[in-house]
């Protein structure tokens, strides 16, 4: 019963608010949805405390109903509860509950907030369906449900063209990844004859030598499936090449950004790879590819964040970069470490996004950091919240003593990259260390440009600056606790604890995969490297934006090519526009003008069909309805007929 409540309470709230929101009113809708999600969050923590801690004794599969039966395909709609699911339930519901209460204050002037809260709860339900799925078809349902809800939320302010375009972009880019994911599911059923997790994962070892043939080429079936599934993960988790939708998703309300970037949509890909660990452990080449994509994403997004001026876009690219860290851990076989960073990241990244929302709220919807500055005296509570989130993100701490959440999870990924024997490990380690330096720089750049220095906003804006109401700030204390303590409290459970006990049947690791042990024995300098990068990034940002604030503009002028390259996000949007968008538009216009208008319409509705209608109208005019007219016509016709035969007979 408890599992059903966790999953379906957000759906009930979404349906009641969506269907009867105008009847029950905005305040009731807000309280109803927020309360239901909060109950789910509390129950999720209870489940985490009871599931998977001892030999998987409490792992369960709760069947809700019989779903699909067709030939060999026999699927039930079920809720799968194990350690991985319990962790994801806590992440999704906790952040969602905070976002719901925060939105009560943030959206209090919006006339459509009933619809907004319905969408938030629907989003939460879709993600819960994804993480509790017991087969690939059910997972795909949640996967697409998250995509639909994100489209509705990103484009919530549909009166803005930018919001509509961002929603469409997110939807379309994700369709690319989802197509690969769907093909992967088709191949799984083709190879295994089932989509049930337990059946597929328990039979992987018998399929490692089986090939799949496509267009005359032979591919190892497990590796091919893993690549297709990872393409889906790349789209949802905004990895390199399929990342372009993520920054534009900032067009939605700030609570949407926090929910999408911290706990739900972007973590779906990480969850997918971790859930499919029995498959990926049998595909080492694909694992190396995941490490490459993850490391490249980490350095790419961090480099772009260095020069962004929109406060939400800086945090968005930070999310993209941190997701790269998670995928590096997954590719190294350190699945628990990747999920650990997902867990801690949810708290401090949601804190940063909602803190940024508080800044925007105080600044009369201003998002450009160049128009901020000196805000710490005006909104001190928000300043402290952002400071805690920044310390957690940059990995503030002292090895062997204590640190913030990111210190434990992110540093463990760097150590794993150094400890592994993969050929790609040197590249991954180098990229992650450089990205750690960049993360510290752009994070403190955001703090210094926003809260320190001389105010750069207009006098009118400065006169209206005010601290956010308690309904927005108090829920963030939950995230503050997570940003400070989640790494310290859960480190042993995710990394030191024997995975057979804590992770039970959630994650499968080959016996020869010793990465969780090896990462603890890296040299001391490796353990200190992320901390050193954090300090260097802080000092450089302080020097640039506090001591010598004229330097950044001077560097941007001297290195104009590099600056524009980073500012324009490595020109991915322009390249994709040239390669895909413009050719597609040109082909569409060709079929529209040459095909539809000049051929189909010209010879169809505007051609033959039009003439038929015209002739028919003329013929109709001949029908007078008078008998003597018809008799006269018959006589004329008979006369013509007789005359014709007389002429023929004479000839």
């Amino acid at each position: 019963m408890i599992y059903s409540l966790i999953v379906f309470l957000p759906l009930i709230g979404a349906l009641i608010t969506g269907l009867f929101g105008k009847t029950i009113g905005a305040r009731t809708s807000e309280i109803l949805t927020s309360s239901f999600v909060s109950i789910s969050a509390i129950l999720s923590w209870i489940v985490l405390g009871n599931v998977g801690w001892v030999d998987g004794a409490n792992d369960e599969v709760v069947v809700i109903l019989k779903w699909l039966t067709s030939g060999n395909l026999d699927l039930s709609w079920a809720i799968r509860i194990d350690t991985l699911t319990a962790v994801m339930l806590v992440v999704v519901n906790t952040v969602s509950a905070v976002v719901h209460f925060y939105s009560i204050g943030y959206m209090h002037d919006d006339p459509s907030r009933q619809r907004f809260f319905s969408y938030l709860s629907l989003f939460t339900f879709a993600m819960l369906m994804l993480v509790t799925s017991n087969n690939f078809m059910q997972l795909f349902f949640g996967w697409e449900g998250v995509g639909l809800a994100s489209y509705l939320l990103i484009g919530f302010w549909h009166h803005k063209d930018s919001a509509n375009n961002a929603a469409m972009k997110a939807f379309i880019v994700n369709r690319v990844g989802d197509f690969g994911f769907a093909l992967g599911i088709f191949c799984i059923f083709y190879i295994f004859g089932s989509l049930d997790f337990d059946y597929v994962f328990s039979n992987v070892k018998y399929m490692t030598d089986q090939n799949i043939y496509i267009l005359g080429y032979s591919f190892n079936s497990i590796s091919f499936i893993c690549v297709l599934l990872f393409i889906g993960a790349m789209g949802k988790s905004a990895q390199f090449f399929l990342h372009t939708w993520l920054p534009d998703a900032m067009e939605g309300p700030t609570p949407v950004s926090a929910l999408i970037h911290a706990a739900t949509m972007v973590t779906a890909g990480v969850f997918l790879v971790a859930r499919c660990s029995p498959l990926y452990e049998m595909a080492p080449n694909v694992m190396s590819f995941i490490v490459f994509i993850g490391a490249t994403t980490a350095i790419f997004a961090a480099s772009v964040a260095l020069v962004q001026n929109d406060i939400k876009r800086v945090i968005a690219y930070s999310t993209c970069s941190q997701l790269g860290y998670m995928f590096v851990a997954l590719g190294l076989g350190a699945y628990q470490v990747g999920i650990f960073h997902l867990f801690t990241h949810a708290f401090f990244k949601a804190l940063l996004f909602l803190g940024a929302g508080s800044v925007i709220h105080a600044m009369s919807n201003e998002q450009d950091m160049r128009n901020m500055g000196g805000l710490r005296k005006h909104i001190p509570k928000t300043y402290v919240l952002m400071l805690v989130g920044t310390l957690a993100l940059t990995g503030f701490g002292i090895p062997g003593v204590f640190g913030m959440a990111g210190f434990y999870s992110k540093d463990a990924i760097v150590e794993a990259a150094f400890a592994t024997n993969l050929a790609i490990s040197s590249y991954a380690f180098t990229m992650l260390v450089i990205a750690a330096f960049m993360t510290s720089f752009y994070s403190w750049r955001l703090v210094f440009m926003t809260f320190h220095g001389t105010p750069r906003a207009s006098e009118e804006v400065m006169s209206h600056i005010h601290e956010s109401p308690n309904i927005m700030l108090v829920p963030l204390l939950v995230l503050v606790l997570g940003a400070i303590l989640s790494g310290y409290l859960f480190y042993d459970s995710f990394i030191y604890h024997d995975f057979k006990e804590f992770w039970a049947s959630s994650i499968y690791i080959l016996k020869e995969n010793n990465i969780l042990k090896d990462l603890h024995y890296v040299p001391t300098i490796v353990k200190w490297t992320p901390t050193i990068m954090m300090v260097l990034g802080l000092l450089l940002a302080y020097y640039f934006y506090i001591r010598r604030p004229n330097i950044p503009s001077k560097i941007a002028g001297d290195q104009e090519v590099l600056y524009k390259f980073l500012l324009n996000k490595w020109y991915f949007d322009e390249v994709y526009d040239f390669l895909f968008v413009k050719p597609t538009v040109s082909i569409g216009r060709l079929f529209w003008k040459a095909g539809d208008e000049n051929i189909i319409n010209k010879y169809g509705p505007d051609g033959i069909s039009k003439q038929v209608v015209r002739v028919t109208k003329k013929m109709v005019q001949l029908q007078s309805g008078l008998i003597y007219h018809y008799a006269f016509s018959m006589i004329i016709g008979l006369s013509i007929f007789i005359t014709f035969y007389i002429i023929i007979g004479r000839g």
Side-chain angles (χ1 to χ4, degrees):
M1 182 64 180
I2 185 174
Y3 305 137
S4 298
L5 286 174
I6 290 173
V7 174
F8 290 107
L9 276 177
L11 176 62
I12 294 171
L15 291 175
I16 294 175
T17 306
L19 296 175
F20 308 107
K22 291 184 179 180
T23 303
I24 64 178
R27 178 60 64 186
T28 304
S29 298
E30 295 168 346
I31 295 174
L32 181 71
T33 53
S34 301
S35 299
F36 281 4
V37 174
S38 297
I39 294 172
S40 291
I42 294 171
L43 295 177
S44 297
W45 281 100
I46 294 174
V47 169
L48 181 63
N50 293 303
V51 172
W53 292 89
V54 181
D55 295 330
N58 294 317
D59 289 2
E60 285 189 55
V61 174
V62 180
V63 177
I64 303 298
L65 52 84
K66 199 76 170 178
W67 188 25
L68 291 174
T69 301
S70 177
N72 294 331
L73 184 63
D74 187 5
L75 298 176
S76 295
W77 195 287
I79 298 175
R80 182 187 186 92
I81 299 296
D82 54 25
T83 306
L84 179 59
T85 300
V87 170
M88 295 301 296
L89 289 177
V90 165
V91 169
V92 173
N93 281 319
T94 302
V95 175
S96 181
V98 171
V99 168
H100 272 73
F101 280 107
Y102 179 93
S103 299
I104 294 176
Y106 192 88
M107 302 292 290
H108 73 282
D109 290 330
D110 197 297
S112 301
R113 55 189 183 276
Q114 298 102 310
R115 177 166 58 91
F116 179 78
F117 277 86
S118 177
Y119 289 169
L120 280 183
S121 291
L122 178 64
F123 197 114
T124 305
F125 166 72
M127 191 66 191
L128 293 175
M129 286 308 310
L130 191 157
V131 301
T132 59
S133 57
N134 191 45
N135 57 71
F136 284 98
M137 186 65 73
Q138 187 179 337
L139 191 153
F140 190 73
F141 171 84
W143 191 274
E144 293 303 309
V146 169
L148 169 63
S150 68
Y151 171 80
L152 296 173
L153 285 169
I154 295 170
F156 177 76
W157 286 327
H158 50 74
H159 57 276
K160 296 168 54 179
D161 289 338
S162 57
N164 291 327
N165 293 335
M168 287 294 295
K169 187 175 183 179
F171 197 78
I172 293 171
V173 172
N174 271 274
R175 296 289 73 71
V176 177
D178 293 354
F179 181 66
F181 184 31
L183 291 178
I185 294 176
F186 298 156
C187 290
I188 288 172
F189 184 70
Y190 175 75
I191 296 297
F192 292 92
S194 175
L195 294 178
D196 182 76
F197 285 157
D198 289 332
Y199 182 87
V200 172
F201 296 156
S202 62
N203 287 279
V204 171
K205 56 182 175 291
Y206 305 118
M207 303 294 181
T208 54
D209 296 328
Q210 187 168 341
N211 293 332
I212 188 169
Y213 298 90
I214 299 177
L215 300 176
Y217 294 93
S218 175
F219 303 93
N220 179 268
S221 59
I222 302 301
S223 296
F224 190 72
I225 288 170
C226 287
V227 168
L228 291 174
L229 295 180
F230 181 61
I231 291 174
M234 288 174 63
K236 272 292 184 289
S237 295
Q239 291 301 282
F240 199 61
F241 295 123
L242 294 180
H243 65 276
T244 53
W245 67 270
L246 191 66
D248 291 352
M250 297 301 97
E251 290 295 333
T254 298
V256 173
S257 305
L259 196 58
I260 289 177
H261 290 74
T264 52
M265 186 169 175
V266 295
T267 61
V270 179
F271 169 80
L272 172 64
V273 176
R275 175 61 80 197
C276 295
S277 57
L279 290 168
Y280 282 96
E281 282 292 282
M282 302 299 177
N285 292 333
V286 180
M287 298 282 276
S288 296
F289 176 66
I290 294 174
V291 172
F292 172 77
I293 292 294
T296 304
T297 302
I299 194 69
F300 154 74
S303 68
V304 173
L306 295 174
V307 299
Q308 297 300 308
N309 297 308
D310 186 307
I311 187 172
K312 286 171 64 176
R313 282 182 178 267
V314 174
I315 305 174
Y317 276 107
S318 172
T319 297
C320 190
S321 180
Q322 296 306 305
L323 287 166
Y325 274 85
M326 298 176 204
F327 276 105
V328 168
L330 297 174
L332 296 173
Y335 305 97
Q336 294 92 325
V337 180
I339 297 298
F340 185 32
H341 194 46
L342 182 156
F343 180 74
T344 60
H345 175 267
F347 294 106
F348 59 74
K349 188 53 61 70
L351 180 61
L352 285 171
F353 265 116
L354 298 180
S358 184
V359 172
I360 296 168
H361 184 268
M363 291 290 293
S364 303
N365 296 320
E366 177 62 68
Q367 295 184 198
D368 194 326
M369 295 186 297
R370 293 172 295 185
N371 298 326
M372 299 180 185
L375 297 182
R376 74 182 190 278
K377 296 179 181 179
H378 300 275
I379 46 175
K381 295 178 183 178
T382 299
Y383 173 63
V384 172
L385 293 172
M386 292 289 285
L387 204 59
V388 172
T390 299
L391 290 170
L393 171 61
T394 57
F396 176 81
I398 301 175
V401 182
F402 179 78
M404 305 290 278
F407 169 79
Y408 291 97
S409 57
K410 186 170 68 173
D411 289 16
I413 297 174
V414 175
E415 293 163 9
F418 183 87
T420 186
N421 293 322
L422 290 177
I424 195 72
S425 61
S426 297
Y427 172 79
F429 177 76
T430 303
M431 293 300 102
L432 295 186
V433 168
I434 297 174
F437 168 75
M438 292 181 174
T439 299
S440 180
F441 179 83
Y442 68 65
S443 297
W444 290 109
R445 171 180 177 264
L446 183 152
V447 171
F448 295 146
M449 288 184 68
T450 303
F451 296 100
H452 293 262
T454 304
R456 296 180 294 277
S458 65
E459 293 184 4
E460 181 181 358
V461 172
M462 294 299 296
S463 66
H464 290 91
I465 292 179
H466 59 283
E467 189 66 90
S468 298
N470 288 333
I471 190 63
M472 292 174 62
L473 297 179
V474 172
L476 301 190
L477 296 178
V478 175
L479 302 179
V480 169
L481 290 175
I484 296 174
L485 298 174
S486 62
Y488 175 77
L489 295 177
F490 288 91
Y491 183 83
D492 288 351
S493 299
F494 279 89
I495 297 178
Y496 267 122
H497 211 294
D498 187 341
F499 76 91
K500 289 183 179 178
E501 295 177 6
F502 179 68
W503 291 97
S505 58
S506 300
I507 290 177
Y508 173 78
I509 296 179
L510 292 174
K511 292 181 179 179
E512 55 268 27
N513 182 352
N514 297 312
I515 188 66
L516 291 181
K517 296 179 181 178
D518 294 342
L519 68 85
H520 298 297
Y521 300 104
V522 297
T524 303
I525 185 60
V526 174
K527 292 180 177 292
W528 276 89
T529 297
T531 302
I532 295 171
M533 293 297 105
M534 180 271 297
V535 173
L536 291 177
L538 167 60
L539 294 176
L540 186 62
Y542 178 80
Y543 182 74
F544 275 17
Y545 294 96
I546 300 297
R547 297 296 301 274
R548 299 287 299 278
N550 62 310
I551 288 183
S553 58
K554 185 177 184 302
I555 293 177
D558 294 340
Q559 304 294 330
E560 185 177 2
V561 174
L562 177 60
Y563 176 73
K564 288 186 175 180
F565 178 72
L566 297 178
L567 188 65
N568 288 286
K569 304 155 288 189
W570 292 24
Y571 292 102
F572 265 99
D573 285 331
E574 289 78 4
V575 171
Y576 284 176
D577 185 63
F578 175 77
L579 292 178
F580 303 114
V581 178
K582 288 183 177 178
T584 302
V585 171
S586 298
I587 293 172
R589 184 175 288 110
L590 174 65
F591 282 108
W592 168 37
K593 290 293 186 181
D596 194 19
E597 291 189 353
N598 294 337
I599 297 177
I600 297 175
N601 284 349
K602 182 177 181 180
Y603 296 102
D606 296 334
I608 298 173
S609 298
K610 186 175 182 179
Q611 293 303 317
V612 169
V613 172
R614 188 178 67 84
V615 171
T616 301
K617 288 182 178 180
K618 293 294 184 180
M619 294 298 294
V620 167
Q621 294 175 0
L622 297 176
Q623 306 298 319
S624 65
L626 300 175
I627 296 177
Y628 63 85
H629 283 174
Y630 298 149
F632 179 74
S633 299
M634 292 173 64
I635 292 172
I636 294 298
L638 182 60
S639 300
I640 293 173
F641 182 75
I642 294 172
T643 303
F644 175 75
Y645 273 95
I646 290 174
I647 294 173
I648 293 296
R650 286 181 178 179

